[in-house]
Amino acid sequence: MKFQFIYLPVFTLLFSVASISHSVGQPQLTRNGRIVFFSKNELENIEAANNQVTSVFNPQNGDIVFMALIKGFKFRKALMEDHFNENYMESNKFPKANFKGAITDISKINIIKNGSYPVKVKGELTIHGITKSIETLATITISGGKINAVSKFNIAVKDYGIKIPKLLVKNIAEIIEVIVDCTYEPLKKT
Amino acid sequence: MNKKGIIFLSIAIVVMAAGIIGYKMWNQSFKDPLRGDAIKVTAVQLFNDFLNDEIAAQKKYVPEKLSDKIVEVWGEIKEIGKNEDGEIYYNLRTNDEIFSVKCVMEKGYEIPNAKVGDTISVRGFCNGYNMDVIVNRCKV
């Protein structure tokens, strides 16, 4: 196997040993996480969603990673999807976006008590081959033994080296709104 | 028709043709995975190919230009689910204890009465490896 270090944080989190017997205390996994982004501009609003985001969250120390395939974002129009992959994201060259970080105030969350907990998330986001530190707010909801994480933040396309042709500056926003929504389950092998 | 009229008519025809081409391009539909040749592979093989050499597997299975490679993948259903956009997906069994080949179906192309343990074959477009191997816009 040609090991790629992009997967190291995922493997590390997946195989970390849980010392808490309660299931929500174990490493949590989703392979059906959702990332939606919105570009709102004068001429048109563009929206795309990816429902196959992999994410691992360790509720004990707050470590959290996300991984999304760029080609997994679905658009309303085939041409939009084509331009997104070929012209802007260069998805053959940079097939993935990923985030590696942690909830910095994990002690605020009581993992065995149902509730909604506003938290801070800090880490490194890699898009289009460029890694930037980001800090944002998120909400962790614990309900019926399941953990849900939602975060909404903005990214500037120029920060990630994504070039918008002058002809299209009125079509594509310079600031993209991103919503991440993941519902986790305790890691289980089948 | 005088010279000015011919020029005006020619320009009008070019503008109309450009408009029609632009409109058709803007509204072009997504490629149908049921049309054209497909790379036939088992879910186990597809997953192993990505695990063994992701870059080579990417070149082999993932479309470089939009939808220019179709994969036909078959295997045993390990899990059936529905995502937030209401699309049904079938996770096909691999040799991995956790991860699968995830086949996300186009709405209206789900397999009637499919259940865990059934062997199925679907056609779609491979997005790559994300711990799972993702095959999207699948049809049967």
Side-chain angles (χ1 to χ4, degrees):
Chain A
M1 176 184 178
K2 290 186 180 176
F3 187 81
Q4 299 208 7
F5 285 94
I6 189 173
Y7 303 118
L8 192 58
V10 178
F11 281 116
T12 308
L13 271 178
L14 277 177
F15 300 110
S16 58
V17 179
S19 59
I20 299 172
S21 60
H22 197 281
S23 64
V24 289
Q26 296 171 3
Q28 304 280 316
L29 169 72
T30 181
R31 297 139 70 200
N32 304 307
R34 178 175 169 87
I35 295 178
V36 187
F37 72 77
F38 304 89
S39 159
K40 294 171 184 170
N41 218 342
E42 295 171 37
L43 289 182
E44 65 182 333
N45 292 332
I46 299 169
E47 178 182 339
N50 183 328
N51 288 299
Q52 296 88 43
V53 177
T54 301
S55 176
V56 185
F57 169 49
N58 185 343
Q60 293 179 61
N61 61 10
D63 285 352
I64 194 162
V65 294
F66 296 91
M67 197 185 295
L69 291 168
I70 301 302
K71 282 194 162 87
F73 282 94
K74 285 187 176 175
F75 289 71
R76 193 166 43 89
K77 301 270 187 192
L79 192 67
M80 282 181 180
E81 201 166 294
D82 201 6
H83 284 175
F84 171 76
N85 279 290
E86 284 188 33
N87 302 347
Y88 309 129
M89 298 300 285
E90 300 178 273
S91 59
N92 291 322
K93 201 172 167 189
F94 308 110
K96 295 182 183 102
N98 60 72
F99 172 83
K100 185 183 87 169
I103 294 172
T104 54
D105 47 0
I106 190 72
S107 59
K108 284 169 70 178
I109 302 174
N110 182 350
I111 54 169
I112 55 170
K113 189 180 173 189
N114 285 352
S116 194
Y117 304 89
V119 291
K120 288 177 188 161
V121 183
K122 194 174 178 183
E124 294 189 326
L125 177 64
T126 304
I127 301 173
H128 196 236
I130 293 175
T131 302
K132 294 271 177 190
S133 291
I134 66 160
E135 202 167 345
T136 186
L137 301 174
T139 303
I140 300 290
T141 304
I142 295 168
S143 175
K146 284 202 171 180
I147 299 177
N148 172 258
V150 176
S151 182
K152 186 175 167 182
F153 55 94
N154 292 332
I155 57 169
V157 292
K158 69 174 182 188
D159 286 352
Y160 293 91
I162 300 163
K163 291 172 187 155
I164 309 296
K166 280 183 182 171
L167 198 65
L168 294 171
V169 289
K170 286 187 177 175
N171 296 65
I172 298 162
E174 290 176 12
I175 303 292
I176 305 290
E177 184 182 299
V178 181
I179 297 176
V180 181
D181 187 342
C182 290
T183 299
Y184 297 89
E185 290 188 352
L187 177 63
K188 61 179 180 210
K189 296 175 180 178
T190 54
Chain B
M1 192 181 289
N2 62 21
K3 200 175 172 184
K4 274 188 181 175
I6 292 169
I7 292 170
F8 178 76
L9 190 65
S10 304
I11 292 170
I13 289 168
V14 169
V15 169
M16 272 178 64
I20 291 167
I21 291 167
Y23 180 80
K24 283 199 164 185
M25 280 179 72
W26 179 244
N27 287 297
Q28 69 174 296
S29 53
F30 290 96
K31 190 175 173 185
D32 185 350
L34 298 179
R35 291 186 177 185
D37 295 334
I39 304 163
K40 295 180 181 181
V41 64
T42 65
V44 171
Q45 184 67 51
L46 182 62
F47 190 85
N48 285 345
D49 283 353
F50 273 95
L51 207 59
N52 292 332
D53 187 345
E54 188 181 352
I55 293 165
Q58 182 93 9
K59 282 185 182 160
K60 186 174 178 183
Y61 298 111
V62 179
E64 281 182 35
K65 291 184 81 67
L66 192 71
S67 313
D68 67 358
K69 284 187 194 113
I70 301 167
V71 290
E72 184 173 323
V73 56
W74 72 96
E76 182 195 333
I77 300 175
K78 183 178 164 186
E79 188 184 2
I80 301 173
K82 187 189 268 189
N83 67 29
E84 285 197 33
D85 287 328
E87 297 161 330
I88 297 287
Y89 62 83
Y90 304 111
N91 286 342
L92 303 186
R93 191 174 293 282
T94 65
N95 291 334
D96 191 273
E97 290 175 306
I98 301 170
F99 297 104
S100 309
V101 171
K102 182 187 288 284
C103 300
V104 184
M105 305 303 291
E106 278 285 89
K107 281 181 187 168
Y109 286 88
E110 301 83 5
I111 302 170
N113 306 318
K115 58 185 187 303
V116 171
D118 287 354
T119 297
I120 60 165
S121 172
V122 301
R123 278 178 163 226
F125 302 101
C126 185
N127 291 158
Y129 175 72
N130 187 24
M131 306 304 282
D132 288 309
V133 173
I134 309 296
V135 184
N136 236 317
R137 301 192 188 283
C138 294
K139 291 184 179 180
V140 285

